[in-house]
Amino acid sequence: MNKSMFKQLEEELSELVKGIGYKEGITLSVSNRPDLGEYQVNDAMKFAKLYHKNPNEIAKEIVDVFNKTEYFSDINIAGAGFINLSISDKFLIKFLNNINNNVNTNIDTKERKKVVIDYGGANVAKALHVGHLRSANIGEGIKRLANLVGMETISDVHLGDSGLQAGIVMLEMKERFPDLICFKDGYDGEDFDLPITKDDLKEIYPTGSIKAHEDEERMEEARRITFELQKDNKCYNILWNKITDLSVSDIRSTYDLLNCEFDLYEGERDSFKYIPDMLKELNDKKLLYTSEGATVMDVKEESDTKEMPPAILVKSDGAYLYATTDLATIYGRVKRFNPDEIWYVTDIRQSLHFEQVFRASKKAGFTPNTELKHFAFGTMNGPDGKPFKTRAGGVMPLNDLIEMIYNACYERINDNIVASDKKEDTAMKIALSALKYADYLPYRETDYIFDLNKFTDLDGKTGPYLLYSTIRIKSLLNKAKEEGFDYKEYKQISDKTDKEVILTLLNLPNYINRSYESKSLNDLAEYLYLLTSNYNKFYQEHRVLAESNTDLKESWLVLSKIVYDTNMMILNIMGIDVPEKM
Ligand code: ARG
């Protein structure tokens, strides 16, 4: 397990305080009065109540032991017993040299757990929409953060591949290609070529869906085909496998573009094999009953204040539903991986569904050692504050959204800086940084408005600003290398501006911890902006390469390198790529 120097400091100070009789230890927090000190210890007030003593006296006792260390340049007591601390240069210099070779040592790792993370959730044969962007982006970010703090993760895209779209698409196929071998009577599984391309597939579902919604008989037929697919019909299974492969190659390229890496490309249908055993187990445990022909399971609890309908597991016609495949997927995941936790990253509107499934799983005893958690997110809205729509009024396809932001970024590329053969790649990286960073910036459950100009502003709290600044540090470091100037050790702090940057680095573990606890990268997104803007202030005030004092120059370059590495580490958690130039 790795412990950051901030954590080590806090623990050591806690030990000192325990040594003088306050067994609770202390918390070291960033000061909200930077004029008095950089950090605060506010525990004297708490101890005063617990030990029936004067808080000021306690504060004095604590200050006395702190004064014996070399960690502080100033300690003072304010008000009723607030202790203000300023960190000594000696400590900060040691800190920088400690993390210089590996900025990953500036984080606190946690007890290792095995976590299955379910995110992405694209639907086979349907276009990804903006909600899928949020699941992919937030899920991947949380996964990378979990890995950084020491978790073992298994990521699963959990494709939607057993819903009504299967019936709708295959009904269309049947009409368009009636001679396809799989539709012949007595078909027994011979192989055949799928007579459609990816582009055809993009048109088939929307067309079929409109037709089915206008004609109840067609809809009924689509439902029947979907049902047949669930019940092992050879034709529909083989055909749907082929359609799934075609669609998944497309889905994969979108996830690749977003830097989403899944260990498993499984789907709802992969849970089918567990459904019979699962239903039998539920039945044996007398948890199932019939309601209006459907097989359901009660998940109400006495303490419920809101309505909690039973989970429907088998419809009256024998068809499985969303809850069935999700519960069976849990059943399978526990058997295969026995994870400590399973996390779901989906839209907040699916909260009731997950509550039902989690309760069913617990009640059935499927997950005695596994915690199930839903990390929900809010909606990306259009400029009108309502869920983002296309001009025609449909949901916004993700590819259209990416294209829109890509075009804006492409137009702004400076041809004097970016070579023509790098232009497209650079524009895409900038566009994705804009989209991803803006998606991380609000707390995950908060809705936000898509604002192209705001997200791509080079001077704002944006992905492009962060990329630009990071590239600028890289180029400074390259120039020093070209000069042949070697920088290895941080030697001296020159002024308040460098100190501010160093303190910001020292605080990184707090932001990482907060983001990890909340499973929301908003704290880390704020941090990245804070570190970058503090560094930019330093950059503006110091002429690093022109500096004649070589100790200072070396120190500044080491600091620049650490900021660069830290930025890269965080951008990597966010799945944001940095272009060479922009
Ligand atoms: N396919 C679903 C959708 O598009 C999301 C799947 C979420 N994951 C899950 N295990 N239910 O809404």
Side-chain angles (χ1 to χ4, degrees):
M1 293 246 267
N2 189 70
K3 234 180 241 178
S4 66
M5 270 186 76
F6 180 88
K7 183 99 189 153
Q8 292 175 34
L9 177 64
E10 184 176 54
E11 286 187 3
E12 211 175 303
L13 296 176
S14 260
E15 285 308 313
L16 291 174
V17 168
K18 287 178 191 168
I20 54 171
Y22 302 104
K23 59 177 193 303
E24 292 74 18
I26 55 97
T27 308
L28 188 60
S29 35
V30 176
S31 174
N32 50 24
R33 287 285 307 271
D35 50 320
L36 298 175
E38 295 142 5
Y39 293 91
Q40 290 179 335
V41 167
N42 299 333
D43 300 86
M45 272 62 66
K46 189 175 88 194
F47 297 159
K49 285 200 193 94
L50 287 172
Y51 296 85
H52 308 291
K53 276 171 81 170
N54 176 328
N56 221 284
E57 253 165 54
I58 300 175
K60 276 187 198 136
E61 290 173 37
I62 295 176
V63 168
D64 276 346
V65 286
F66 285 4
N67 262 325
K68 294 196 183 100
T69 71
E70 290 180 321
Y71 302 141
F72 305 107
S73 58
D74 183 61
I75 307 182
N76 62 71
I77 300 173
F82 297 95
I83 304 169
N84 299 302
L85 304 161
S86 295
I87 309 279
S88 68
D89 284 8
K90 192 173 168 185
F91 181 90
L92 294 177
I93 291 169
K94 188 173 160 207
F95 160 68
L96 284 182
N97 288 317
N98 261 347
I99 64 168
N100 184 15
N101 283 328
N102 179 4
V103 292
N104 279 34
T105 57
N106 190 25
I107 56 163
D108 302 316
T109 54
K110 299 179 192 303
E111 190 201 338
R112 191 169 184 78
K113 286 185 182 161
K114 195 198 272 183
V115 188
V116 173
I117 313 185
D118 179 317
Y119 64 100
N123 297 314
V124 167
K126 285 165 88 170
L128 276 84
H129 55 70
V130 292
H132 291 118
L133 167 77
R134 297 218 72 193
S135 179
N137 194 44
I138 296 171
E140 182 70 23
I142 294 179
K143 182 192 76 182
R144 292 183 184 212
L145 185 59
N147 288 142
L148 186 75
V149 302
M151 301 300 138
E152 177 189 349
T153 58
I154 300 166
S155 52
D156 182 6
V157 66
H158 199 75
L159 299 166
D161 59 3
S162 69
L164 187 57
Q165 87 267 31
I168 290 176
V169 168
M170 287 194 281
L171 178 57
E172 281 293 307
M173 291 293 292
K174 209 170 173 174
E175 279 184 4
R176 294 183 193 196
F177 307 99
D179 294 331
L180 209 59
I181 182 166
C182 70
F183 295 129
K184 297 270 182 281
D185 283 341
Y187 172 67
D188 73 346
E190 290 154 71
D191 195 23
F192 60 92
D193 285 330
L194 199 61
I196 52 166
T197 64
K198 280 184 199 176
D199 286 329
D200 299 331
L201 187 57
K202 285 187 184 127
E203 166 269 323
I204 291 179
Y205 173 72
T207 309
S209 174
I210 293 171
K211 288 194 326 210
H213 279 94
E214 283 168 352
D215 177 349
E216 185 45 40
E217 238 168 80
R218 274 190 90 86
M219 191 56 111
E220 208 32 66
E221 180 62 5
R223 282 198 199 102
R224 196 189 61 77
I225 296 176
T226 309
F227 175 79
E228 291 291 330
L229 175 71
Q230 295 182 351
K231 305 297 165 193
D232 274 349
N233 173 297
K234 211 171 243 169
C235 162
Y236 295 128
N237 269 280
I238 292 179
L239 178 58
W240 190 239
N241 285 346
K242 287 182 185 292
I243 293 173
T244 300
D245 286 347
L246 185 65
S247 173
V248 169
S249 70
D250 220 24
I251 290 171
R252 233 180 228 274
S253 57
T254 304
Y255 285 133
D256 287 348
L257 185 67
L258 294 171
N259 280 334
C260 289
E261 297 157 351
F262 295 99
D263 299 317
L264 305 174
Y265 260 86
E266 298 189 357
E268 295 162 347
R269 279 172 83 210
D270 290 284
S271 75
F272 283 4
K273 54 179 169 292
Y274 301 107
I275 294 179
D277 282 354
M278 174 187 85
L279 289 174
K280 182 174 184 306
E281 213 175 308
L282 292 173
N283 201 39
D284 290 348
K285 291 180 174 161
K286 309 236 174 316
L287 293 169
L288 300 179
Y289 66 94
T290 309
S291 166
E292 292 170 38
T295 305
V296 306
M297 174 172 172
D298 266 333
V299 290
K300 265 204 299 271
E301 284 168 12
E302 240 164 61
S303 56
D304 283 341
T305 50
K306 58 179 193 270
E307 209 184 326
M308 185 54 65
I312 308 175
L313 297 177
V314 188
K315 277 206 309 194
S316 54
D317 63 3
Y320 305 140
L321 292 113
Y322 196 37
T324 330
T325 54
D326 259 326
L327 194 58
T329 302
I330 293 176
Y331 192 86
R333 282 175 181 159
V334 170
K335 287 211 187 315
R336 291 159 72 194
F337 310 118
N338 191 24
D340 298 298
E341 301 190 7
I342 306 177
W343 301 348
Y344 295 83
V345 183
T346 79
D347 192 297
I348 208 163
R349 286 168 287 190
Q350 297 197 17
S351 295
L352 177 64
H353 163 75
F354 284 108
E355 182 73 47
Q356 290 176 302
V357 170
F358 293 177
R359 286 184 181 199
S361 172
K362 240 186 272 167
K363 199 169 166 187
F366 292 163
T367 40
N369 308 310
T370 307
E371 265 189 79
L372 304 170
K373 293 180 176 167
H374 181 210
F375 299 118
F377 53 80
T379 323
M380 181 206 279
N381 288 327
D384 58 356
K386 302 209 185 89
F388 212 176
K389 291 264 154 56
T390 58
R391 273 200 198 140
V395 286
M396 178 69 81
L398 176 53
N399 285 331
D400 294 1
L401 184 85
I402 294 176
E403 195 177 300
M404 199 153 66
I405 202 156
Y406 167 84
N407 288 337
C409 293
Y410 187 86
E411 268 168 31
R412 283 184 227 160
I413 284 191
N414 184 336
D415 292 324
N416 297 323
I417 294 174
V418 179
S420 59
D421 61 330
K422 295 269 167 63
K423 211 169 153 177
E424 289 179 5
D425 180 63
T426 305
M428 188 52 94
K429 284 179 173 150
I430 299 172
L432 291 173
S433 80
L435 200 56
K436 292 185 126 227
Y437 185 76
D439 190 62
Y440 283 132
L441 205 46
Y443 173 61
R444 96 180 121 65
E445 286 186 9
T446 310
D447 299 343
Y448 68 95
I449 290 178
F450 177 84
D451 184 335
L452 187 80
N453 290 326
K454 193 170 129 196
F455 292 0
T456 55
D457 184 357
L458 207 50
D459 296 317
K461 199 189 262 190
T462 65
Y465 167 78
L466 296 164
L467 289 189
Y468 177 79
S469 308
T470 305
I471 294 171
R472 197 165 67 173
I473 312 178
K474 174 87 179 182
S475 121
L476 172 76
L477 297 173
N478 283 343
K479 281 186 195 136
K481 285 252 157 67
E482 279 160 26
E483 260 182 27
F485 189 87
D486 212 8
Y487 50 94
K488 289 205 178 74
E489 191 187 339
Y490 190 89
K491 292 180 171 146
Q492 97 189 65
I493 299 179
S494 60
D495 59 24
K496 253 179 64 189
T497 325
D498 334 359
K499 197 170 178 190
E500 197 57 43
V501 178
I502 306 171
L503 287 166
T504 310
L505 288 165
L506 187 62
N507 290 333
L508 171 67
N510 297 314
Y511 290 84
I512 300 254
N513 288 341
R514 277 209 294 271
S515 266
Y516 185 69
E517 288 314 317
S518 62
K519 305 294 180 292
S520 172
L521 264 59
N522 61 304
D523 279 304
L524 206 51
E526 288 292 346
Y527 177 83
L528 184 56
Y529 179 73
L530 182 71
L531 178 63
T532 303
S533 17
N534 284 344
Y535 177 82
N536 282 346
K537 187 158 175 256
F538 158 89
Y539 183 90
Q540 247 114 49
E541 288 175 15
H542 301 76
R543 312 241 326 155
V544 177
L545 294 176
E547 177 58 45
S548 56
N549 176 336
T550 51
D551 276 357
L552 267 189
K553 183 171 171 178
E554 179 173 1
S555 298
W556 289 344
L557 283 164
V558 169
L559 183 62
S560 302
K561 178 194 167 277
I562 293 173
V563 171
Y564 175 77
D565 289 348
T566 303
N567 273 14
M568 291 301 283
M569 174 175 89
I570 299 172
L571 289 168
N572 183 49
I573 295 173
M574 296 180 166
I576 295 176
D577 287 335
V578 184
E580 260 167 61
K581 291 181 177 168
M582 68 183 269

